[in-house]
Structures are given as structure tokens and as C-alpha cells.
Amino acid sequence: MSNSVGHNLLNQSLLQGKVNSSGIPANTLFQAKSVHQVTAPARKSPISKKFCVNILNVQKPKLTMGSRRPVAAVPRAVLATNPPSDQQLAGKFNLDGHIELQVYVNASTPGSPTQVDFRVAYRGDSLTLHWGGVQDRKEKWVLPSRHPDGTKVYKNRALRTPFVSSGSSSSLQIEIDDPTIQAIEFLLVDESQNRWFKNNGDNFHVKLPAKEMLISNAPVPEELVQIQAYLRWERKGKQMYTPEQEKVEYEAARTELLEEVARGKSIQELQARLTKKDDDGKIEEPSRSDTKTAKKDERKQVFRTNRIQRKRRDLMQIINKHASKPVYEGKIVDEEHPAKPKPLTAVELFAKEKEQDGGSVMRKNIFKLNDKELLILVTNPAGKTKVHLATDFKEPLTLHWALSASKAGEWLEPPANTLPQGSVALNGVVETQFRPGSADSAYEVQSLEIEVEADSFKGMPFVLNASGTWMKNQGSNFYVDFGVERKKAQKDTGDGKGTAKALLDKIAGQESEAQKSFMHRFNIAADLVNQAKDAGELGLAGILVWMRFMATRQLVWNKNYNVKPREISKAQNRLTDLLQNVYANYPQYRELLRMILSTVGRGGEGDVGQRIRDEILVVQRNNDCSGSFMEEWHQKLHNNTSPDDVVICQALMDYIKNDFDIGVYWKTLNENGITKERLLSYDRAIHNEPQFRRDQKEGLLRDLGHYMRTLKAVHSGADLESAIQNCMGYKDEGQGFMVGVKINPISGLPSEVPDLLRFVLEHVEDRNVEVLIAGLLEARQGLRTLLSKPHDRLRDLLFLDIALDSTVRTAIERGYEELNNAGPEKIMHFISLVLENLSLSSDDNEDLIYCLKGWDQAQNMLKNNSNDWALYSKSILDRTRLALAYKAESYLSILQPSAEYLGAQLGVDQWAVNIFTEEIIRAGSAASLSSLLNRLDPVLRKTAHMGSWQVISPIEVVGYVVYVDELLTVQNKVYSKPTILVAKSVKGEEEIPDGTVAVLTPDMPDVLSHVSVRARNSKVCFATCFDPNILADLKASEGKLLRLKPTPADIVYSEVNAGELDASSTDSREDAPSLTLVKKEFTGRYAISSDEFTSEMVGAKSRNIAYVKGKLPSWVGIPTSVALPFGSFEKVLSEDSNKAVAEKLETLKKKLRDGNFDLLKEIRETVLQLAAPPQLVQELKTTMKGSGMPWPGDEGEQRWEQAWTAIKKVWASKWNERAYFSTRKVKLDHEYLCMAVLVQEIINADYAFVIHTTNPSSGDSSEIYAEVVKGLGETLVGAYPGRALSFISKKNDLDSPQVLGYPSKPIGLFIRRSIIFRSDSNGEDLEGYAGAGLYDSVPMDEEEKVVVDYSSDPLMVDGNFRKTILSSIARAGSAIEELYGSPQDIEGVIRDGKLYVVQTRPQM
């Protein structure tokens, strides 16, 4: 599939500005540049056929597809097809008399390196340049520091750089930037043959042009070059540079300094000027406009000459396979053996008994007392308020209590008539002993009952005492509210299916308590962590939903309760400590735990929270601002600080920075969800706007900046700056802030991580985000090992990693503008960065890692000018989209049911429930990755000539447009008028509804999938549309009458009048004659060998495989086969041992004939109850062994039972929904449909293929079309997501297959040595009824699903291997078609390079 020169020129604009993995510009398709070459002025396009044919005096041979060598894993320079005009021929040499070597050298300009190009007429992949530089003709070579990728140092005496092979020639480009090097010397060596090429026994020697002497040769310290480059950047308005421009600017800065030295400036004078040293030799500290912690000179840090040096890592080492299993209420799901309900605790049994005594339940709470429980149940029987307290605490327990009348929490002495027997009044409070339960009780608890006149009191505060030890509710008094719990109007909460319902019910029951303050909410959440963990994935999903509803302000943060900041901080600390422990011990839940942590502040013990109270006083005192707004905020902070305070503090700083513009204050608040109404809703409301004097500006900005750090330390664990500070350590800086605080650096951090974190802080707001993202990812990679094992500061590491992850996402979004005019290589690089970030945050990331490896390979193919780079990239893009779709569906199934159930329980706004999962996805890297894929997709389709459509069945039709989400949901519908279905989802196994004339979809079913074959057989237009704009237009055309005119690569559609509707296009199945089948009878034998296959015994599938045996070339293998003939099922059913099964089946079939289609599943299950007659077992055993096949029973009775179950599943597939409705559509008598079973030994395939010997998309009989997948063929014919490798081959040139598309299927199926039982009905070869694929083929053993890594698969990376395999498939198809004399539909496999055909049938 070679590209023409004209086509390349058309696409030149798509291939600009490549960047290699180290961040230095690489050569493009049209410019003869080395990997390290800086951007040069525009040149005339060097493409020239003259050079290709004549310059080397070697005729270029015609290349056939598949003859290219495998793409190298290391990016190398690309062969330039013509020397640029500014290069001079420096030498021409003959190697061994018939191989020509040419060396070109450019005339370098001041400040730019000298380029040396080597071109040699030599074919092979192992040619290497053995070279060095020469100074003053000295014998010892110097080794330039600048050299192409792939260069190796040889014994510290020479460099070895590989050539790049392209067809009949090889090329290489090096650059020399050391002005002291006057020439280069070299030898050539073919390392695979140890063959050396010399210049008449000596080294080759090429002189380099002398550098202009304007610039001094004296070295300038790199530190000064960095500063000069920064000053140039400032002078030019701090522009956003590409890495190429940055390199040019850096070298230009060096040139400026060298010119100054040449004019007489000393290095010391340059240093004094650039670093602004004063008379004492001290460097002035630059002024700072923000409160960042980095203390290094900003001028030296902003401008970097290179990218972050990414370490080369084996991506396989970061694969996680921690897929969690579904768990409901603490039990792994087992539909056949459902979990028993968890027994009620003693306290719950007590509560249940009291609830049944009468009176409505007003409140019910269960608190934890260490490992015991305390129940508080409030009921209102007969106008009374009755409080029941019960506990399974073993020690004697005393209630120390009072009542509240006017406000919650006040302590008033209870009236004497409310005191239980034995109570003692003590100075305004009462003490009452809990009473033990009766000896004959079914549960053991201590309990108390207190009765109060209704409406006299509003609540009851209390604490507990056990043997002198006071017990409180997480540091605060317990409080029982006597009021009826008010809830928002609720919708139907449903049955909680797909959720940890018991946990969510408990959360809902404690929400009124949680609303009091963050302290209460976090402590309740901490109490529920173990229950959530035991409930598994869905339990933690419930906690996440609850915490996110809180974080998005859908739940009340504070209600009539004052709490100290240190108590909030302590509760946060407790919750996050428990979460980090679960993270450390349950790796399968880490992704959910990261999301939970991102909704909760870090918290901390001791004075972390108290500083919020103390330091606001410091701000007020230092700046004389204690009244009005600041006092109101001070009161709020003292009584109930929250994450809103971080926003308020930021709004104040923005207001002050912007010249006290009050509009800026409100803008910051509103953008972060805080309105005037919310400020007024706080228990300590904020009524006033800030008003400060101008002389307070500097002091307020300084102190509020310090105070912001304190607020974030509590409320914003995942804030980048706070997270970095917590990991790198900080201490008291004086001025009343962080007094006595010292946070030590985290131990065990990789040595490079602190520098990376400092770099990130310094560059976090850069417009050019590529280097920043590289730094963020390198830091995340450095943390990865620490995050995977226990650590005493695991929580801080987690919050840091979450912050880095979030910063990557925001940087990508900021960098979209940078990509507006970028070429595909830049977008692909960004895709790789975001995909890496997503992989580092995912529990089960194997598919993502293989996508990442695919993108690396795609970028290498682009750099090496592979003709197929766009086609291959499109397959990786499609696979990445599938991975994102799977991730979104996974989130939806795990989170959305909990969001809907809990949201209804808590009265959350319906819109917040509806978009819950969508917003979770948008908050991560997946949304950014999807956006980047959408940018690249049209570029790849254009480059690969794919167009906007893949037309699978090109039939011109007219019909009315109908939009559906899934084709599956309408497959049994009958449309009364010609219908064009626009279906969002088409999996591949669906039937096409009656009345449908076209199916258009964005999904990508295989061209040879069931639905594709059905469309072609039924003359239905079927196509995949890649363009979302076209799909949106078609969806908007719903109800309109359109004409579709397809070509093999496009569909033109237009609106038409009803009069143009051809009556012949309407469905006329009602008038079609029904098809007839001849019912097959049992011939007296349960098993036959392949030489006994006849039309009375077996179907076409079995007969065809027997027919080709011995008639095909010897290199085509045919598996050994036997069969259970027609009538075997009916005979087994008639056996006395199966009488009950037969009677039940007959009853079900009668109801089915009456239209009860829901019984199809029960019929299949009934067939599976059949017992095997001994005669069947014996005959099948004898026949299989006689044919040389293994007998399953030899491995034990269980293995035979597996085989028998597989046979019954084949018979039962007669009642598959799709198959049953298919027979009804063509009025086929279902009773007459008989099922033989073809038995074959499974070949554990490396690859499986399907061939159509006439191209099904174009109808071209001169072309063979085939699709290939890894592993077994079920992923190809069974509607597994993704595309297979597809290719065509001309029948007159079978050794030149042309790849049409590379594979995107993420899953391959593999199996142990086993037996497969294939359906073989008498309807499969019936004219007018395509029965193939409707019925099941069942292996005896379950296939293993393997996530496929194509980047190491020889079919992808080895061109010669690919050509051999695809050619053999095409030749096999041609041979079988020739044998039958008609187009064939063929299935087969490849094992260890050998091809096997497992079935063939006429192509429909």
C-alpha cells in the first residue's frame, strides 16, 4: 500500500514539527533533518524521483507489500530523498567496488551545528557507522556529546550509530556542534555479518567547513546561557515556545554571549551583569509576587533547554490487574447459591422488637462503642416521647443525662416524673444505671427506657460512664433529637438492585446526624468504612457517592451545631487514616479509594485544625482589620470551618490583588459555587463585603497567603501546593503562622522526585504545558512504587499523587490551544501522556497499557515514514476509544445505581443524580483523552484515505429515518414502511428488523460479523459512520424520507419526496412463500466418522469439511472430525430416562407456539436436564477413538460430563432467541429444523481467520477479503468489540496482500487442548435462509480471555511474517474456491505457522 509522491505532497501540512521522546525535534517526512536538528528556514521540497533512481546509480527494485522490515523500537533518522540545496558533496566512495557511499556536508551558520549526511546503496538492517571527531589531525578520536538516537559508545574510543534502511539504500545524519572538531573519521560495519568497509584499508576522512570566527571558542557556563535565554524570552513577551523553538532560542542565547566574549567581555563580567551582583558579591534576590515555597532564583528555573528527561521504563511493570469482583452486602455474587441474609445483631433484634410494640419511629441511630453498639430509638406512642437505649456492652454502664428545651445541646434537669427507677439527680443532671436483659431473652443487651411528655422538650444530651471511664460520641456529647426527622420529598427509591443497599440505608438513616457538622459526617463515615469494605466494590461506591454529594454541596454541611476546627480536623484524620489502610491492603479498590479521598480534606491530629482559629486572629492583629467582614468570617471559622473558607480566602486575595475590585471578589466566589445566599445561610452568617485600606495591601496578601496554607492543610488534601509541602516538609516561618509546626520530609522518596516537585511548582502555570506534563508524569512514576506498599506517610503520598493527577488534567485542558495547529505527531504525543496518566490512576489498566505501547509504536512508524502509520494509528485510536467506553460503562454500573438510590433517600436534586457518573468521568483524564482522540481521528482518516464511512453492504435504498440507541432492542420489531435505522450501538450478533432497508451506526462490527452477513444477504444497506457531525445530521433527520447512494467508501444521502418512494422497497415478506424443510429421522446410530457424512446424516458444515479432506494442498491442515447425526437429540429425548424432561419440554413448546416467547430460556435450560443413554456414550467413545481423537472420559467422569453438557448446549441453541425469530420471519417450520453435532479437536490457535473469496463490500470477484484475529475465531464471529485485521488479495497476485485495517480488538480467546462441538443444522444450506451463525458451537472447556498486546505480536511488527501468513490465508481461500467452483465463506486457524481450515460453506 505505497503512497504516491503526489499524495505525500497533499498531506505535507499534516506532518510537521515531529518531536522525539527526549523532546528534541525529529525529522519529518519531507525534510532531511536529523533527530537533533533545530528548526531551519523553509526550503524547497526535496522530493525528487531523479534522486531515487539515478543518484546512486542503482535501480530501485519494486517492493511488494509485506517486504518491509519490522519497525524498530528506537526512533532513528529517516532517509532524505534528495540533498537540500545548502549541502555540498564532501566525498564519494566505492565500497567493495559496487556499493557507492556519498557524504554531504552543509555550510553551517554561526550558532548552528554542522550537518553530515551519509547515503549508501546498501540493503540491510544492521549497517552501522563506527566514527569519531578529529581535532588538528590528532590520531585519537574525540567523541562528540551530540549524536543521533540509538548511538552507542564503543569502549570509550568510538561511537556507533545505526543506519536506517529504506528499500535498496540506507541513510544516516549526524550533527557536529563542537567548533574544535575539524573533520570526522569513520568506518562502516555490517554487525550481523561482522563485515567491515574501509577506505583502501584506512579510515574514511571527511573535512568539515571551518566555522566563522566571529564567535569566541571560549566556553560559557550553562548557568549563564539559561539566564540569557530567560531574558530573551522576557524581551519577546514570554511567548509560548514549542520544544523546537525553545532549542533555537537557547542556542541563540549562547551565540549572543559568545559574541560578547569575542568582543572582549570576560566571563566574570557576564556573570556580574546577568546575576546582578552587588558590591559585596551577593546576588540580589528577585522580588516575588506570590507565596510559592520555592526559593531558587526564578530566572534560572523558568527556561529549560530540554524536556524533562523521562526514564525509559518497561511499561509492563506498571500493569495492574486488580479487577474487583462484584459483592452485594458483603458476599460475592453467586446467582446459583445466593448469599444468606446477614443475621441481626443483639442491638438490632432489640430495636426490631421495640418497633413492633407500637408507635411510629421518629429516630433510630446505632453508634459504635469500640467494637460494641449503642442503640437510640425514639418512638411516640399515645402522645408520649419514648426514648429506648440499648447496648451489647458487657460492663455495667451508667447514663449521665439531661433534657434540652429551647436549643439543642443545653443541659436542663429532667422533671421527676421522667426519671426511670433507680435514677439519681446530681446538680442539674441525672444518672441512671442500664438494666441487664432477662435471662431467657434471645439476645443479650443492657437497656433503658425514658418517657417524656410530647412537645415539652426538644432533645436529650448525654454521655456514658463505665467503671469511671467517660464515653462520648467522637469527643462530643451524644444528643437525641425528639423532633420528627424532616426529609425532602422523595421519588421511588427502587429496590436498591446493584448497590450495597444495607449500607446505603444506614447512611440515609444517619444523614440527619451527619448534617450537624463535618465532624459528625466524617466520624459517621469512619464508622462505616469497615462495613463498606466488607461489602466490596459497591460498598465503597456507596461511600464515594455520599461523600461526593457532600463535596458538591448537595447535602447540608452544618446545622445548629458549633464545632471547633480541631475536632473537624481530627475527624478527617480518622477517616483518611482508615481509608489509607484499606488502600494498602485491598489493591482492587484503590481507584475508588482515590476518588473518595479526593472529596475529603487531609485533616490531622493535634493543632492542625486549631491553627485555623488561632491564625485568623494573627491576620486581624497584624493588619488592623478586626471589624465588619473579617469579624463575621472569624466567627464562622471559630464555629464551623469548611472547604468554603478556602474559596473565601482566595476571593479576598484576588480582590486585594485587583486593586480592591469587589467584582473580582464575587466572581471568584460565584465561580466556585458560593453565592450571597450561601454566605447568609451559615450558622454564623457573613453579611458584609470586605473593605480594606490600601496601606493594608501588602500585609494582607502576605498573611492571607500564609493562612491559605493552613486552610488547605485541613480542607484541601489534594491541593497541589499543600500536598507537595506535606511530602517535602516545612516548618514554622515566624510571624505567627505555623507556630511550632514542623512537617518532616517523607522518607524513601526517589532522589529525583523532590527536584521534579519543585519544577512542577515553578512551572504549574506555564502556557506551554508539554514539559510540565512530562514533569508531572515523571513525578507520578517516581511515587508509584511507594504507593504500592505500606508506608508510614501513605496518606500524604496519596494526596500528592491525586494532586499531580488532577494537575495533568488541568494542564492538558490549558494546552488545547497549543494543539490547534499541531500536526498528528504532537497530538499523538499528548495522547500518550494523558493515557499514561490515566493508566497510573486505574486499578485494572492492562488494556490501557497495551494501548499506550501501541501509541509508542505508531509514533515510531510516523517518524520512520511507514506508509501504514495512519492506518495503524487508527486501529490504536479505535482500541483506546473502546477502553474508554469500557471504563465509562464500568463507572456507570458501579456508581449510578448507588447515586440514584441514595440520592432519592436523601432528597438530592434530580439533576445532580442524573449527571453523577458523567461528572465523575469528566473530572478525570478519560474526558481529556477522548477530546484528543476526537482531534486526531479525522486527520488519520484523511491520511489513510478512509473517508467518513466504511460501507459493509452497498445497497441504494429509500426510507424513513428512525433513531434508536441499540439495534438489539428493536431486532424483533416489524416496521410498516421502509426504515433507515440510525443505531447508536450495533454489537454484531443482532437480527435486522423486518421493514429495515438500511442500518447506519458509529459502532464498528466486523465486516464478516453476523449482522454484516445478514445485511448483505437481505439486501440491506449497512455502514459505519466515523464522522460525528454526519451522525448528528442523520439523527436530526428523524422522520424524514432519505435516499442513500453508497459507494465502497462513501454514502451520499439526500431528502426526497414520498412520491419517489419505490413501492418495491417496502417489505413484502407477508406474501413470500414459506420455506420448507425435510424432517430428518434418526438412522439408528449416535455417532459416525467423517467418511460416513451424508446429507441424510449431517448438515452442510460437516459434509463440506469431509469433502475437502485430501483434495487441498498438503500445507492446508484439516482437523479430524466425527459427528452426532440428525435425530440424535430426538432419540435421546424419547428414552425412558428422559420422560419427565420430554413432557416438560412439550408443555413449554406448546406455550411458545401460543406466543409466550419468554419461555425460550426455560426451554434451553430444560434441554440441559437430559441424561445420556449408555449407547450414545459407548458409540461416541468408539467413533472418536477410532478416528484418532482423544476421548474425554479417559480423563475422568467429570470430563465426560463437561463434553455431554456442551453437546446439550448445541441442541438447546435451536431455541436461541435470534435463531427462533429468524425461522419465524421466513415461515420456517421450527419443528422440522434438526441439529447434528460436528465434533472436532480444538486447535489452540495463534490466529483465527474468516475468508470471503468474493469481496463482500464491493462484490469484486477478483478479490479475496479476509479478517484475522489473535486466538480463537469466536472474537471474530461472536461480536466481540473492536475490529479484526482485514486485508484483500488479488487472485492474480496472491502473494501481495494489502492490509485494509489493523486490529483493535482488545480481547483474544485461548484454550487448552480440548474438543469443540459445532452446530450443524439442516437449515444452514437451505436456499433463501442463511442459517449459518444462528446456532451455537460450544467448546468442552471454557476459553480464557486474554488482553492482547499487539505491540509485540509478529503479525504486527514483522512485515515478512505478516506477508507470509496473509498470503497463505489468501492462497487457501483461492484453492477452496477453485475446488468448489463457487465463492466460499471459510473459517480457519493458524498454529505455529501452519494453516488449518475448520469449515467452509457457500458465500451468501
Side-chain angles (χ1 to χ4, degrees), residues 1204-1368:
W1204 175 235
T1205 299
I1207 292 168
K1208 291 185 290 184
K1209 285 182 177 179
V1210 175
W1211 286 337
S1213 70
K1214 175 179 174 180
W1215 287 275
N1216 282 347
E1217 281 80 1
R1218 186 159 55 88
Y1220 182 77
F1221 288 116
S1222 178
T1223 60
R1224 283 174 59 86
K1225 284 181 181 179
V1226 295
K1227 299 181 181 180
L1228 194 68
D1229 189 337
H1230 193 259
E1231 285 297 305
Y1232 278 43
L1233 192 132
C1234 296
M1235 189 76 70
V1237 180
L1238 175 63
V1239 185
Q1240 293 178 323
E1241 188 172 3
I1242 288 181
I1243 299 163
N1244 190 5
D1246 299 321
Y1247 308 100
F1249 59 83
V1250 173
I1251 308 169
H1252 278 194
T1253 58
T1254 289
N1255 189 329
S1257 296
S1258 63
D1260 188 347
S1261 61
S1262 71
E1263 283 181 348
I1264 288 174
Y1265 177 88
E1267 293 182 342
V1268 187
V1269 295
K1270 275 188 73 69
L1272 301 177
E1274 182 59 22
T1275 59
L1276 184 55
V1277 299
Y1280 278 68
R1283 283 276 178 83
L1285 182 148
S1286 58
F1287 72 96
I1288 58 172
S1289 185
K1290 291 292 185 181
K1291 292 176 182 176
N1292 61 1
D1293 190 8
L1294 294 172
D1295 287 331
S1296 300
Q1298 179 184 347
V1299 175
L1300 301 180
Y1302 286 93
S1304 60
K1305 287 184 181 291
I1307 297 295
L1309 296 180
F1310 298 86
I1311 198 169
R1312 56 175 284 183
R1313 185 188 180 194
S1314 186
I1315 303 294
I1316 189 167
F1317 300 89
R1318 299 183 184 275
S1319 58
D1320 191 21
S1321 76
N1322 60 339
E1324 294 202 27
D1325 54 350
L1326 187 65
E1327 187 174 350
Y1329 174 63
L1334 289 176
Y1335 306 101
D1336 292 345
S1337 294
V1338 184
M1340 192 175 84
D1341 295 282
E1342 188 175 351
E1343 305 100 328
E1344 179 188 3
K1345 289 184 178 180
V1346 176
V1347 184
V1348 179
D1349 179 7
Y1350 291 114
S1351 68
S1352 58
D1353 190 290
L1355 196 63
M1356 301 300 110
V1357 301
D1358 186 336
N1360 290 329
F1361 178 82
R1362 180 168 60 246
K1363 179 185 176 184
T1364 299
I1365 294 297
L1366 301 190
S1367 296
S1368 67

Side-chain angles (χ1 to χ4, degrees), residues 917-1098:
T917 304
E918 180 183 341
E919 288 302 303
I920 289 278
I921 295 169
R922 287 182 184 277
S925 296
S928 302
L929 181 55
S930 179
S931 177
L932 290 170
L933 295 175
N934 291 340
R935 284 173 180 254
L936 183 63
D937 193 358
V939 177
L940 297 181
R941 285 190 280 108
K942 180 179 179 181
T943 307
H945 305 294
M946 296 179 70
S948 299
W949 295 88
Q950 180 176 26
V951 181
I952 297 170
S953 176
I955 309 295
E956 183 173 344
V957 298
V958 176
Y960 291 92
V961 176
V962 173
Y963 178 83
V964 296
D965 282 329
E966 296 181 338
L967 181 61
L968 184 66
T969 61
V970 296
Q971 66 174 349
N972 298 320
K973 188 171 181 176
V974 176
Y975 290 98
S976 60
K977 53 186 180 181
T979 299
I980 297 171
L981 282 179
V982 180
K984 182 180 178 182
S985 171
V986 175
K987 299 303 182 187
E989 285 196 314
E990 302 91 339
E991 285 296 316
I992 295 175
D994 283 351
T996 302
V997 297
V999 177
L1000 310 177
T1001 178
D1003 249 342
M1004 296 178 290
D1006 292 304
V1007 173
L1008 303 184
S1009 68
H1010 172 80
V1011 72
S1012 301
V1013 173
R1014 285 276 178 229
R1016 289 190 290 268
N1017 292 346
S1018 305
K1019 305 303 181 188
V1020 170
C1021 179
F1022 185 35
T1024 293
C1025 181
F1026 300 114
D1027 192 326
N1029 295 321
I1030 294 176
L1031 282 166
D1033 186 53
L1034 286 167
K1035 184 179 178 181
S1037 300
E1038 186 159 18
K1040 294 180 180 178
L1041 185 65
L1042 299 185
R1043 180 183 298 278
L1044 305 183
K1045 289 187 175 182
T1047 67
D1050 195 12
I1051 287 184
V1052 177
Y1053 60 93
S1054 58
E1055 189 171 355
V1056 297
N1057 297 321
E1060 298 183 44
L1061 182 60
D1062 186 350
S1064 65
S1065 68
T1066 60
D1067 188 81
S1068 57
R1069 290 195 187 278
E1070 295 299 323
D1071 303 323
S1074 60
L1075 299 174
T1076 57
L1077 282 172
V1078 177
K1079 189 169 184 178
K1080 304 293 184 178
E1081 301 294 337
F1082 183 62
T1083 58
R1085 296 179 59 190
Y1086 278 116
I1088 58 176
S1089 60
S1090 60
D1091 55 5
E1092 300 173 281
F1093 290 176
T1094 67
S1095 60
E1096 293 302 312
M1097 306 282 276
V1098 293

Side-chain angles (χ1 to χ4, degrees), residues 736-781:
F737 296 93
M738 299 294 176
V739 175
V741 175
K742 183 178 180 182
I743 303 295
N744 292 320
I746 287 180
S747 62
L749 281 178
S751 58
E752 71 275 9
V753 168
D755 283 339
L756 287 166
L757 296 178
R758 280 188 284 269
F759 174 86
V760 164
L761 274 182
E762 292 162 6
H763 295 270
V764 72
E765 295 180 2
D766 284 3
R767 289 183 63 196
N768 189 350
V769 300
E770 192 172 348
V771 181
L772 168 65
I773 295 170
L776 289 162
L777 290 174
E778 196 62 22
R780 291 198 69 193
Q781 290 279 13

Side-chain angles (χ1 to χ4, degrees), residues 56-189:
L56 297 179
N57 298 320
V58 178
Q59 185 173 358
K60 184 175 181 179
K62 181 180 179 181
L63 294 178
T64 57
M65 273 303 297
S67 62
R68 294 173 64 90
R69 65 181 181 85
V71 177
V74 180
R76 302 175 181 173
V78 182
L79 174 64
T81 53
N82 204 22
S85 57
D86 59 356
Q87 287 194 336
Q88 301 170 355
L89 182 64
K92 183 184 293 187
F93 308 92
N94 284 317
L95 313 180
D96 286 0
H98 63 281
I99 301 173
E100 186 172 78
L101 165 68
Q102 296 178 350
V103 183
Y104 291 85
V105 178
N106 78 330
S108 61
T109 57
S112 66
T114 300
Q115 297 173 0
V116 185
D117 277 281
F118 300 83
R119 295 176 175 81
V120 57
Y122 190 85
R123 303 185 69 169
D125 296 335
S126 53
L127 189 64
T128 300
L129 185 74
H130 181 91
W131 65 288
V134 177
Q135 296 174 333
D136 299 324
R137 204 58 166 153
K138 293 178 181 176
E139 291 186 4
K140 186 176 180 180
W141 288 358
V142 296
L143 307 184
S145 59
R146 185 174 189 153
H147 43 68
D149 286 355
T151 298
K152 296 179 181 179
V153 178
Y154 180 76
K155 296 183 179 181
N156 289 322
R157 292 185 296 187
L159 298 174
R160 284 191 172 181
T161 304
F163 277 78
V164 174
S165 175
S166 177
S168 60
S169 61
S170 300
S171 66
L172 173 64
Q173 186 180 82
I174 62 174
E175 294 179 342
I176 306 296
D177 59 358
D178 185 346
T180 64
I181 294 179
Q182 300 174 354
I184 59 167
E185 288 192 352
F186 60 92
L187 302 170
L188 274 65
V189 57

